[in-house]
Amino acid sequence: MQTYIIPAEEGTPLDRVYSISITIRTFKGRRNVEAHVFRCDPDLAEAASYDWNTLVGPPMDPANPGDVEDVKRTLLETFTAEERDAVVSYLSRRYGSRLECITACPVELPIPLGVTPLSSITPGKTLGFIRFENVTDYPLPFAVRGFYDLTQHDPLDRQGGEEQA
């Protein structure tokens, strides 16, 4: 398993900027499934201390500008450097044999209007969440989930081996 941690640039206005993704070797009949790991229980009071004038960017689509609250929730789903390290360590220890890689990198600021927070996506037949916080002996003091979209990944071939959960 490879681990890639890309530091934030010097002068980043806050520490809560890290996104994490994992690539799972086999998952639900698919190969190399990418899951975007996020905080699903952010402290909304934390948002009051941020300078949102510098953190919210122009809309991705001016015809559908979106909502500032979605930008706030998106940012609060990211991790601080300390949280990032704890999540990477947990995922490495618990799931290292099942993962191809873990990537942690800073999000680009400002975050454009029109983004969708991962926690607001409705699961369905091919979209879903890995609820890490429900796993026995989950050690982190905050809840973490992983969002996946199975349509983005190749199915396992019939001769390619067993599926791992």
Side-chain angles (χ1 to χ4, degrees):
M1 179 193 74
Q2 298 291 315
T3 302
Y4 305 98
I5 297 179
I6 300 162
E9 290 182 16
E10 183 100 10
T12 300
L14 62 151
D15 193 32
R16 180 170 303 288
V17 294
Y18 291 97
S19 68
I20 299 173
S21 65
I22 58 175
T23 302
I24 308 166
R25 287 189 175 109
T26 58
F27 182 75
K28 295 188 179 264
R30 302 291 173 142
R31 175 178 320 287
N32 294 323
V33 174
E34 184 175 17
H36 301 281
V37 180
F38 64 99
R39 282 188 63 134
C40 62
D41 66 347
D43 179 6
L44 300 178
E46 181 182 329
S49 67
Y50 293 157
D51 178 6
W52 291 104
N53 292 322
T54 62
L55 299 174
V56 178
M60 294 186 297
D61 177 3
N64 298 300
D67 185 354
V68 171
E69 292 306 310
D70 284 344
V71 173
K72 290 179 181 181
R73 286 180 49 214
T74 298
L75 184 63
L76 292 172
E77 289 177 348
T78 65
F79 301 95
T80 65
E82 181 178 287
E83 292 167 347
R84 172 204 65 200
D85 293 346
V87 171
V88 168
S89 177
Y90 167 69
L91 293 172
S92 296
R93 282 191 325 272
R94 178 82 185 212
Y95 302 102
S97 65
R98 296 179 181 179
L99 301 178
E100 284 293 323
C101 72
I102 300 172
T103 303
C105 62
V107 296
E108 277 192 50
L109 297 174
I111 296 174
L113 281 165
V115 297
T116 301
L118 294 172
S119 60
S120 70
I121 297 173
T122 303
K125 186 176 178 182
T126 59
L127 301 175
F129 296 99
I130 303 166
R131 297 175 185 271
F132 293 108
E133 77 277 13
N134 290 345
V135 174
T136 304
D137 297 325
Y138 179 77
L140 301 175
F142 50 88
V144 174
R145 294 191 181 156
F147 168 74
Y148 60 86
D149 179 355
L150 296 177
T151 64
Q152 302 299 309
H153 307 285
D154 294 329
L156 291 171
D157 60 35
R158 298 283 178 213
Q159 300 167 355
E162 296 294 316
E163 176 179 338
Q164 297 175 4

